[in-house]
Amino acid sequence: MAEKIIIVLKFVFAALLLPLVIGTVLALRGEVAQFDAALQNALYAGTLAYVVMKFFIYDLDVVYKFGQSIVGFCFQFLKPVMNFAPYVIPVYTLIGIVVYAIIHATGVIGGREPLGLILIGAIAFTFAMHIILTAQDLYKKDTIPAKPNYFFAMSLIFIVDVFFMALLMGLAGKGFSFVSFFQKLGGASAQIYMAVFKQLFGV
């Protein structure tokens, strides 16, 4: 009985997180739209490159698992965190953003030069890899029909991941504002919650 209640609660929480997931996507898209065309193309090209590679060539699961092992090792002394951190921290994307921030700070690149565009594409590529393979891994591990664990965990991980990456991108260089991202996220999510509330209760 208790197990069934937990499953139902996970579905409820996953449904409650859905407006935040949508708001996160809209906020991220809104900030990316502030980039110039070259940077936007680099981001989209990097994301598309991984999707094509995943479905038609090789999914890089070995590379993904190696990254997870690195994160797990870093948090090995914090048992609860160690189990969750590899799914939340996209280690290759984190490294890419740090490298981009360092090079950008030195003035070697301004973001639109070939090296800057390659790094932006690599960041998008690795982030897409992390999100897609995390979703795949969690989906396989959830053996319960209707996948309540998967929907709840993936919704939460996606929100935390994008929030984390938005913060890092805001610190990495010009063109991405974390404050603006957060405002867009709050505004979009609030509108969705209000629309659903009005629809359910006829207010």
Side-chain angles (χ1 to χ4, degrees):
M1 184 63 179
E3 201 171 304
K4 290 181 179 179
I5 292 174
I6 292 173
I7 291 173
V8 171
L9 285 175
K10 285 182 177 178
F11 273 123
V12 171
F13 285 129
L16 290 173
L17 286 173
L18 186 57
L20 278 175
V21 172
I22 297 171
T24 300
V25 173
L26 293 175
L28 183 63
R29 190 177 67 178
E31 278 308 297
V32 170
Q34 304 302 314
F35 290 172
D36 63 36
L39 286 175
Q40 288 186 49
N41 290 338
L43 279 169
Y44 294 137
T47 303
L48 182 60
Y50 178 73
V51 172
V52 171
M53 178 171 282
K54 154 74 177 168
F55 290 105
F56 297 104
I57 304 173
Y58 181 59
D59 64 3
L60 297 177
D61 187 60
V62 174
V63 178
Y64 168 76
K65 288 292 198 311
F66 179 71
Q68 279 193 311
S69 68
I70 293 174
V71 176
F73 176 78
C74 293
F75 289 93
Q76 62 181 314
F77 300 110
L78 299 170
K79 211 57 172 170
V81 179
M82 185 184 77
N83 295 328
F84 194 62
Y87 291 117
V88 175
I89 301 175
V91 62
Y92 299 116
T93 310
L94 177 60
I95 292 170
I97 290 177
V98 170
V99 171
Y100 179 84
I102 292 171
I103 297 177
H104 190 277
T106 61
V108 175
I109 60 173
R112 301 187 224 6
E113 295 170 18
L115 179 57
L117 296 177
I118 289 170
L119 283 172
I120 289 293
I123 289 168
F125 181 95
T126 55
F127 190 67
M129 178 183 74
H130 176 79
I131 291 295
I132 291 172
L133 293 184
T134 294
Q136 178 179 283
D137 197 20
L138 291 174
Y139 187 88
K140 288 179 179 177
K141 286 182 177 178
D142 190 357
T143 57
I144 302 172
K147 307 289 183 181
N149 296 320
Y150 165 75
F151 284 112
F152 172 67
M154 197 60 222
S155 297
L156 189 59
I157 287 170
F158 181 80
I159 293 167
V160 173
D161 266 356
V162 175
F163 194 87
F164 179 56
M165 299 319 299
L167 176 60
L168 290 176
M169 287 295 289
L171 295 173
K174 296 177 181 178
F176 193 104
S177 169
F178 176 74
V179 174
S180 178
F181 166 82
F182 188 74
Q183 289 173 339
K184 287 184 175 75
L185 168 59
S189 300
Q191 285 182 355
I192 297 170
Y193 280 120
M194 286 300 296
V196 172
F197 182 83
K198 289 178 180 178
Q199 190 69 29
L200 290 175
F201 299 99
V203 178

